[in-house]
Amino acid sequence: MAFDPDLVDRMEAALVALGQRPERRRMFGGIALMIGGNMSFGTSRDELHVRVGPDQYEAALAKIGAREMDLTGRVMKGWVTVDGPSDLDDDALADWARMTADFVTTLPVK
């Protein structure tokens, strides 16, 4: 399996709890959750990819399990990868959801 469907459900629920209406899309062998047409979360293999934006980037990297997102040999600023996301409790996942929603909702709707 290329992604953890339970994790996608939990990610979606965390965004819904914040009043968002995420849309699922298959992307990069996993699932991405879009807010207003902009990607917020993604998952593939046993990794969680979170779009946090430039202002929260350093704070996101300081969180346990987070590292620079590099899928192609080039670091994607404003994005972090979280290793072992299935081990995150609901509060930790809610923190990631808040962080991504805070940024993604500032972007123009596509």
Side-chain angles (χ1 to χ4, degrees), residues 39-81:
M39 188 173 166
S40 64
F41 274 121
T43 184
S44 60
R45 299 181 304 275
D46 191 31
E47 298 174 333
L48 178 65
H49 309 292
V50 185
R51 188 175 193 180
V52 297
D55 293 343
Q56 298 183 92
Y57 185 63
E58 292 301 322
L61 285 174
K63 289 177 158 280
I64 294 172
R67 60 183 165 86
E68 294 177 325
M69 183 172 160
D70 177 356
L71 300 177
T72 63
R74 192 174 115 216
V75 171
M76 296 178 67
K77 295 288 183 180
W79 286 85
V80 296
T81 295

Side-chain angles (χ1 to χ4, degrees), residues 4-18:
D4 178 351
D6 180 55
L7 177 61
V8 176
D9 290 343
R10 292 177 60 220
M11 291 165 35
E12 185 175 47
L15 289 172
V16 168
L18 295 172

